[in-house]
Amino acid sequence: MSAAGDVCDVEYSLAEEQDFQQVLNICSSEAFDGLDYMAVTFHRWLQEPGRLVFLARMNDRVVALESALLVDGGQTAVFQGLRVVPDLRGRGIAGALQKHVTDYLHRHYPQVSAVRLSRGVQPPPRTLSKYRLVAKEAIVSLCCEAVNLRAFVAELRTRLQSQAQSHSYHTVTLNQQQVETLILTDHVVSNLLPGKTIINDWEPLKPMEPNLEVLRRRGLTWIVDRELEPSAVSLCTTPYPVPYRHDAVHFNINIFSRSVASVCSVFLAQLEALLPSLHGYLIFHTYVDPELWPGLHQFCQNKANVCFFKDYWEEVILEMDL
Protein backbone atom coordinates (compact mmCIF):
# COMPACT_ATOMS: atom_id res chain seq x y z
CA MET A 1 0.00 0.00 0.00
CA SER A 2 1.25 3.50 -0.71
CA ALA A 3 0.54 6.90 0.76
CA ALA A 4 0.88 10.42 -0.52
CA GLY A 5 3.74 12.90 -0.19
CA ASP A 6 6.95 11.88 1.54
CA VAL A 7 5.61 8.39 2.26
CA CYS A 8 4.60 7.41 -1.29
CA ASP A 9 7.31 4.75 -1.42
CA VAL A 10 6.37 3.04 1.84
CA GLU A 11 5.33 -0.62 1.75
CA TYR A 12 3.56 -2.39 4.61
CA SER A 13 3.67 -5.96 5.91
CA LEU A 14 3.17 -8.03 9.03
CA ALA A 15 6.40 -8.55 10.98
CA GLU A 16 8.21 -11.91 11.03
CA GLU A 17 10.97 -13.37 13.18
CA GLN A 18 13.66 -12.59 10.60
CA ASP A 19 12.83 -8.87 10.86
CA PHE A 20 14.21 -8.69 14.41
CA GLN A 21 17.57 -7.09 13.64
CA GLN A 22 16.05 -4.50 11.32
CA VAL A 23 13.48 -3.68 14.01
CA LEU A 24 16.28 -3.14 16.53
CA ASN A 25 17.93 -0.79 14.03
CA ILE A 26 14.97 1.61 14.25
CA CYS A 27 15.17 1.67 18.07
CA SER A 28 17.81 4.10 19.32
CA SER A 29 19.39 3.35 22.71
CA GLU A 30 18.40 6.85 23.89
CA ALA A 31 14.71 6.41 23.04
CA PHE A 32 12.27 6.32 25.97
CA ASP A 33 15.05 7.62 28.25
CA GLY A 34 17.07 4.47 27.56
CA LEU A 35 14.19 2.18 28.57
CA ASP A 36 13.15 0.79 25.16
CA TYR A 37 11.54 -2.62 25.64
CA MET A 38 11.42 -3.74 22.01
CA ALA A 39 14.40 -6.14 22.20
CA VAL A 40 12.60 -8.00 25.00
CA THR A 41 9.06 -7.96 23.63
CA PHE A 42 9.38 -8.35 19.83
CA HIS A 43 9.52 -12.17 19.72
CA ARG A 44 6.83 -12.49 22.40
CA TRP A 45 4.59 -10.10 20.51
CA LEU A 46 4.82 -12.19 17.34
CA GLN A 47 3.57 -15.22 19.30
CA GLU A 48 0.91 -13.46 21.34
CA PRO A 49 -2.72 -14.36 20.56
CA GLY A 50 -4.66 -11.39 19.23
CA ARG A 51 -1.62 -9.24 18.44
CA LEU A 52 -0.65 -7.98 15.01
CA VAL A 53 2.76 -6.36 14.45
CA PHE A 54 3.05 -4.15 11.37
CA LEU A 55 6.18 -2.86 9.63
CA ALA A 56 6.67 -0.03 7.16
CA ARG A 57 9.52 -0.38 4.66
CA MET A 58 11.24 1.96 2.23
CA ASN A 59 13.68 0.44 -0.27
CA ASP A 60 13.61 -2.87 1.66
CA ARG A 61 14.60 -1.07 4.86
CA VAL A 62 12.34 -1.27 7.93
CA VAL A 63 11.56 2.35 8.84
CA ALA A 64 8.64 2.04 11.28
CA LEU A 65 6.69 -0.38 13.50
CA GLU A 66 3.27 -0.38 15.13
CA SER A 67 1.36 -3.17 16.85
CA ALA A 68 -2.31 -3.70 17.59
CA LEU A 69 -3.52 -5.96 20.40
CA LEU A 70 -7.15 -7.04 20.17
CA VAL A 71 -8.79 -6.74 23.59
CA ASP A 72 -12.24 -6.30 25.15
CA GLY A 73 -13.42 -9.50 23.46
CA GLY A 74 -12.15 -8.30 20.08
CA GLN A 75 -14.04 -4.99 20.19
CA THR A 76 -10.98 -2.76 20.79
CA ALA A 77 -7.45 -2.55 19.37
CA VAL A 78 -4.73 -1.26 21.69
CA PHE A 79 -1.98 0.41 19.65
CA GLN A 80 1.46 -0.18 21.18
CA GLY A 81 5.11 0.12 20.25
CA LEU A 82 5.09 2.87 17.62
CA ARG A 83 8.65 3.39 16.35
CA VAL A 84 10.01 5.41 13.42
CA VAL A 85 13.67 5.34 12.39
CA PRO A 86 15.29 8.57 13.70
CA ASP A 87 16.43 9.95 10.33
CA LEU A 88 12.93 9.81 8.83
CA ARG A 89 10.87 11.25 11.68
CA GLY A 90 8.61 14.16 10.91
CA ARG A 91 7.81 12.95 7.39
CA GLY A 92 4.38 11.49 8.07
CA ILE A 93 5.45 7.86 8.24
CA ALA A 94 3.90 7.25 11.68
CA GLY A 95 0.54 8.63 10.59
CA ALA A 96 0.60 6.65 7.35
CA LEU A 97 1.44 3.42 9.18
CA GLN A 98 -1.33 3.96 11.71
CA LYS A 99 -3.78 4.62 8.88
CA HIS A 100 -2.66 1.35 7.27
CA VAL A 101 -3.22 -0.51 10.56
CA THR A 102 -6.67 1.05 10.94
CA ASP A 103 -7.61 0.15 7.35
CA TYR A 104 -6.34 -3.41 7.91
CA LEU A 105 -8.52 -3.73 11.02
CA HIS A 106 -11.56 -2.45 9.11
CA ARG A 107 -11.06 -5.11 6.44
CA HIS A 108 -10.05 -8.13 8.52
CA TYR A 109 -11.55 -7.41 11.97
CA PRO A 110 -14.77 -5.46 11.32
CA GLN A 111 -15.91 -6.09 14.90
CA VAL A 112 -13.23 -3.69 16.20
CA SER A 113 -15.06 -0.47 17.01
CA ALA A 114 -12.43 1.51 18.95
CA VAL A 115 -8.70 2.15 19.19
CA ARG A 116 -7.01 2.80 22.53
CA LEU A 117 -3.45 3.97 23.15
CA SER A 118 -1.23 5.49 25.83
CA ARG A 119 1.20 8.39 25.61
CA GLY A 120 3.87 9.67 27.99
CA VAL A 121 3.69 13.26 26.77
CA GLN A 122 0.77 15.64 26.55
CA PRO A 123 -0.80 14.95 23.14
CA PRO A 124 -1.00 17.90 20.72
CA PRO A 125 -4.41 19.52 20.12
CA ARG A 126 -4.67 17.76 16.73
CA THR A 127 -4.48 14.37 18.46
CA LEU A 128 -6.88 15.38 21.23
CA SER A 129 -9.40 16.48 18.61
CA LYS A 130 -9.56 12.88 17.31
CA TYR A 131 -9.33 11.01 20.63
CA ARG A 132 -11.17 11.23 23.93
CA LEU A 133 -9.28 11.16 27.24
CA VAL A 134 -10.00 7.94 29.14
CA ALA A 135 -7.63 8.16 32.10
CA LYS A 136 -4.47 9.78 33.38
CA GLU A 137 -1.80 8.56 35.79
CA ALA A 138 1.13 10.47 37.31
CA ILE A 139 4.50 8.72 37.44
CA VAL A 140 7.08 8.63 40.24
CA SER A 141 10.35 7.51 38.62
CA LEU A 142 13.24 6.18 40.72
CA CYS A 143 16.64 4.66 40.01
CA CYS A 144 19.43 3.08 42.06
CA GLU A 145 22.02 0.36 42.25
CA ALA A 146 20.27 -2.84 43.33
CA VAL A 147 22.55 -3.06 46.39
CA ASN A 148 20.98 0.18 47.70
CA LEU A 149 17.39 -0.98 47.45
CA ARG A 150 17.42 -2.89 50.74
CA ALA A 151 18.42 0.22 52.70
CA PHE A 152 15.77 2.23 50.84
CA VAL A 153 13.09 -0.32 51.73
CA ALA A 154 14.20 -0.35 55.38
CA GLU A 155 14.05 3.46 55.52
CA LEU A 156 10.57 3.52 54.01
CA ARG A 157 9.39 0.76 56.33
CA THR A 158 10.48 2.81 59.35
CA ARG A 159 8.77 5.90 57.91
CA LEU A 160 5.55 4.03 57.24
CA GLN A 161 5.46 2.58 60.74
CA SER A 162 6.04 6.00 62.30
CA GLN A 163 3.29 7.52 60.16
CA ALA A 164 0.91 4.71 60.98
CA GLN A 165 1.28 5.25 64.76
CA SER A 166 -1.49 3.10 66.23
CA HIS A 167 -2.24 1.42 62.89
CA SER A 168 -0.22 -1.36 61.34
CA TYR A 169 -0.39 -1.57 57.59
CA HIS A 170 -0.76 -5.11 56.33
CA THR A 171 -0.72 -6.16 52.70
CA VAL A 172 -1.88 -9.27 50.87
CA THR A 173 -0.30 -10.83 47.79
CA LEU A 174 -3.08 -12.24 45.64
CA ASN A 175 -3.10 -15.46 43.64
CA GLN A 176 -4.54 -15.42 40.13
CA GLN A 177 -7.98 -16.60 41.21
CA GLN A 178 -8.19 -13.87 43.87
CA VAL A 179 -7.09 -11.27 41.31
CA GLU A 180 -9.72 -12.30 38.79
CA THR A 181 -12.46 -12.25 41.40
CA LEU A 182 -11.44 -8.86 42.79
CA ILE A 183 -10.56 -6.85 39.69
CA LEU A 184 -14.07 -7.14 38.22
CA THR A 185 -15.93 -6.17 41.41
CA ASP A 186 -17.97 -2.98 41.38
CA HIS A 187 -15.96 -1.68 44.35
CA VAL A 188 -12.66 -1.81 42.46
CA VAL A 189 -14.07 -0.75 39.08
CA SER A 190 -16.09 2.20 40.38
CA ASN A 191 -13.89 3.42 43.22
CA LEU A 192 -10.29 2.60 42.31
CA LEU A 193 -9.63 2.08 38.60
CA PRO A 194 -8.77 5.31 36.73
CA GLY A 195 -11.45 5.90 34.13
CA LYS A 196 -12.71 2.38 34.98
CA THR A 197 -9.63 1.06 33.18
CA ILE A 198 -7.03 -1.54 34.22
CA ILE A 199 -3.66 -0.07 33.21
CA ASN A 200 -0.70 -2.43 33.19
CA ASP A 201 2.64 -1.17 31.87
CA TRP A 202 1.05 1.29 29.39
CA GLU A 203 -1.54 -1.31 28.36
CA PRO A 204 -5.12 -0.10 29.02
CA LEU A 205 -7.81 -2.76 29.37
CA LYS A 206 -11.47 -2.59 30.28
CA PRO A 207 -12.36 -4.61 33.40
CA MET A 208 -14.14 -7.44 31.61
CA GLU A 209 -13.86 -11.20 31.52
CA PRO A 210 -12.09 -11.59 28.12
CA ASN A 211 -9.22 -9.34 29.25
CA LEU A 212 -8.32 -11.60 32.18
CA GLU A 213 -6.44 -13.87 29.78
CA VAL A 214 -4.28 -10.92 28.66
CA LEU A 215 -3.44 -10.16 32.30
CA ARG A 216 -2.62 -13.83 32.99
CA ARG A 217 0.03 -13.73 30.26
CA ARG A 218 1.82 -10.77 31.84
CA GLY A 219 3.30 -12.55 34.87
CA LEU A 220 2.21 -9.77 37.24
CA THR A 221 2.55 -9.58 41.00
CA TRP A 222 -0.67 -8.27 42.57
CA ILE A 223 -0.63 -6.82 46.09
CA VAL A 224 -3.53 -5.14 47.93
CA ASP A 225 -3.81 -3.50 51.33
CA ARG A 226 -6.62 -5.90 52.25
CA GLU A 227 -8.40 -8.68 50.44
CA LEU A 228 -11.98 -7.49 50.95
CA GLU A 229 -12.84 -4.08 49.51
CA PRO A 230 -9.22 -2.87 49.38
CA SER A 231 -8.37 0.81 49.27
CA ALA A 232 -5.31 0.07 47.09
CA VAL A 233 -4.75 -2.49 44.33
CA SER A 234 -1.26 -2.72 42.85
CA LEU A 235 0.34 -4.72 40.07
CA CYS A 236 4.03 -5.03 39.20
CA THR A 237 5.66 -6.24 36.01
CA THR A 238 8.49 -8.74 35.86
CA PRO A 239 11.77 -6.76 35.64
CA TYR A 240 13.36 -6.80 32.18
CA PRO A 241 16.68 -5.56 30.72
CA VAL A 242 16.84 -2.13 29.03
CA PRO A 243 19.58 -0.32 27.05
CA TYR A 244 20.12 2.46 29.62
CA ARG A 245 23.17 0.66 31.00
CA HIS A 246 24.69 -2.76 30.30
CA ASP A 247 23.22 -4.11 33.55
CA ALA A 248 20.05 -1.97 33.76
CA VAL A 249 16.65 -3.49 34.45
CA HIS A 250 13.28 -1.82 34.47
CA PHE A 251 9.92 -2.56 36.06
CA ASN A 252 6.58 -0.78 36.40
CA ILE A 253 4.21 -0.64 39.38
CA ASN A 254 0.63 0.52 38.78
CA ILE A 255 -1.32 1.43 41.91
CA PHE A 256 -5.07 2.07 41.84
CA SER A 257 -6.09 3.98 44.94
CA ARG A 258 -7.39 7.26 46.34
CA SER A 259 -5.36 7.06 49.58
CA VAL A 260 -1.71 8.16 49.93
CA ALA A 261 -1.16 5.94 52.96
CA SER A 262 -2.50 2.87 51.14
CA VAL A 263 -0.42 3.69 48.05
CA CYS A 264 2.75 3.90 50.16
CA SER A 265 1.92 0.60 51.86
CA VAL A 266 1.47 -1.47 48.68
CA PHE A 267 4.36 0.31 46.93
CA LEU A 268 6.66 -0.77 49.74
CA ALA A 269 5.27 -4.33 49.67
CA GLN A 270 5.97 -4.59 45.93
CA LEU A 271 9.61 -3.55 46.47
CA GLU A 272 9.99 -6.02 49.34
CA ALA A 273 8.68 -8.82 47.10
CA LEU A 274 11.27 -7.96 44.43
CA LEU A 275 14.27 -7.57 46.74
CA PRO A 276 15.68 -11.13 46.54
CA SER A 277 15.71 -11.24 42.73
CA LEU A 278 17.10 -7.84 41.72
CA HIS A 279 20.63 -7.18 40.49
CA GLY A 280 22.37 -4.45 38.54
CA TYR A 281 21.02 -0.94 38.02
CA LEU A 282 17.30 -0.43 38.68
CA ILE A 283 14.96 2.06 37.03
CA PHE A 284 11.36 1.79 38.13
CA HIS A 285 8.19 3.78 37.49
CA THR A 286 5.19 3.88 39.82
CA TYR A 287 1.89 5.10 38.40
CA VAL A 288 -0.71 6.70 40.68
CA ASP A 289 -3.64 9.11 40.69
CA PRO A 290 -2.14 12.55 39.91
CA GLU A 291 -3.49 13.93 43.17
CA LEU A 292 -1.45 11.35 45.10
CA TRP A 293 1.85 11.99 43.28
CA PRO A 294 3.10 14.62 45.78
CA GLY A 295 2.45 12.27 48.71
CA LEU A 296 4.28 9.30 47.16
CA HIS A 297 7.10 11.55 45.94
CA GLN A 298 7.56 12.90 49.47
CA PHE A 299 7.42 9.38 50.93
CA CYS A 300 10.27 8.33 48.61
CA GLN A 301 12.70 11.03 49.78
CA ASN A 302 15.62 9.04 51.22
CA LYS A 303 19.23 8.81 52.35
CA ALA A 304 19.85 5.42 50.70
CA ASN A 305 21.21 6.73 47.35
CA VAL A 306 17.95 6.07 45.54
CA CYS A 307 17.44 8.98 43.12
CA PHE A 308 14.54 10.38 41.16
CA PHE A 309 15.00 9.37 37.52
CA LYS A 310 12.57 12.01 36.21
CA ASP A 311 10.45 14.74 37.72
CA TYR A 312 6.65 14.79 37.45
CA TRP A 313 5.28 13.27 34.25
CA GLU A 314 2.11 11.54 33.19
CA GLU A 315 0.71 8.63 31.25
CA VAL A 316 -2.37 9.58 29.24
CA ILE A 317 -4.85 6.99 27.95
CA LEU A 318 -6.74 7.97 24.80
CA GLU A 319 -9.52 6.28 22.83
CA MET A 320 -11.05 6.83 19.40
CA ASP A 321 -14.03 5.22 17.70
CA LEU A 322 -13.32 3.52 14.37
Side-chain angles (χ1 to χ4, degrees):
M1 178 178 290
S2 64
D6 281 342
V7 293
C8 59
D9 297 325
V10 176
E11 296 179 347
Y12 303 105
S13 65
L14 291 171
E16 299 179 8
E17 296 284 352
Q18 59 262 33
D19 297 316
F20 179 59
Q21 190 54 56
Q22 282 212 61
V23 166
L24 291 189
N25 291 343
I26 68 174
C27 304
S28 67
S29 59
E30 296 80 28
F32 304 98
D33 303 307
L35 306 182
D36 197 329
Y37 53 80
M38 192 57 66
V40 176
T41 59
F42 179 76
H43 295 295
R44 173 169 63 79
W45 277 8
L46 294 187
Q47 303 300 322
E48 183 171 16
R51 187 183 294 275
L52 303 162
V53 182
F54 296 86
L55 299 180
R57 285 183 168 86
M58 296 178 71
N59 300 319
D60 294 325
R61 175 196 181 197
V62 172
V63 296
L65 176 148
E66 178 70 294
S67 87
L69 177 65
L70 302 181
V71 301
D72 303 346
Q75 299 171 12
T76 305
V78 175
F79 281 11
Q80 291 174 293
L82 180 63
R83 304 283 190 281
V84 177
V85 68
D87 61 291
L88 293 178
R89 288 174 188 162
R91 293 180 55 179
I93 292 174
L97 175 55
Q98 289 187 320
K99 182 181 184 305
H100 169 77
V101 175
T102 302
D103 290 345
Y104 186 97
L105 292 172
H106 271 306
R107 290 196 309 272
H108 298 279
Y109 299 91
Q111 74 275 19
V112 174
S113 59
V115 166
R116 200 175 301 138
L117 50 81
S118 56
R119 289 290 180 264
V121 294
Q122 183 62 28
R126 182 180 170 189
T127 301
L128 290 176
S129 69
K130 295 188 294 184
Y131 289 87
R132 58 184 170 271
L133 178 66
V134 173
K136 185 184 291 187
E137 291 186 304
I139 307 169
V140 176
S141 300
L142 296 159
C143 58
C144 67
E145 301 290 347
V147 293
N148 294 326
L149 190 65
R150 192 170 296 278
F152 177 63
V153 166
E155 186 176 339
L156 296 193
R157 172 59 61 192
T158 300
R159 183 172 302 154
L160 191 66
Q161 290 170 342
S162 67
Q163 291 174 354
Q165 296 176 346
S166 60
H167 304 290
S168 64
Y169 282 104
H170 297 289
T171 58
V172 180
T173 302
L174 302 180
N175 61 37
Q176 195 61 38
Q177 184 176 357
Q178 291 172 312
V179 169
E180 295 179 9
T181 300
L182 179 67
I183 202 68
L184 302 183
T185 61
D186 183 64
H187 168 73
V188 170
V189 173
S190 300
N191 300 324
L192 301 183
L193 295 182
K196 297 186 176 181
T197 304
I198 305 167
I199 307 173
N200 154 52
D201 193 11
W202 302 80
E203 190 171 75
L205 305 170
K206 286 184 179 178
M208 52 194 299
E209 194 83 32
N211 289 333
L212 297 180
E213 175 54 37
V214 178
L215 293 170
R216 282 184 209 117
R217 297 198 291 261
R218 299 296 178 251
L220 303 170
T221 298
W222 295 78
I223 298 178
V224 297
D225 61 335
R226 56 179 178 266
E227 191 174 347
L228 296 177
E229 298 204 343
S231 60
V233 175
S234 69
L235 58 88
C236 183
T237 62
T238 302
Y240 55 87
V242 289
Y244 183 84
R245 208 173 85 174
H246 71 94
D247 60 345
V249 296
H250 177 56
F251 57 91
N252 291 290
I253 303 171
N254 289 82
I255 304 177
F256 314 125
S257 179
R258 301 285 184 266
S259 159
V260 171
S262 299
V263 163
C264 294
S265 179
V266 295
F267 167 72
L268 183 56
Q270 289 284 6
L271 294 184
E272 287 175 328
L274 285 166
L275 263 178
S277 61
L278 292 175
H279 306 280
Y281 191 72
L282 313 178
I283 304 161
F284 49 105
H285 298 338
T286 303
Y287 306 73
V288 296
D289 184 306
E291 293 186 4
L292 304 187
W293 187 93
L296 180 60
H297 187 268
Q298 180 64 34
F299 179 68
C300 290
Q301 304 284 341
N302 69 93
K303 299 175 182 177
N305 292 319
V306 174
C307 303
F308 290 100
F309 186 69
K310 292 179 72 170
D311 200 2
Y312 183 93
W313 62 303
E314 292 178 337
E315 174 185 18
V316 177
I317 307 298
L318 303 172
E319 189 173 84
M320 173 181 70
D321 292 328
L322 283 186

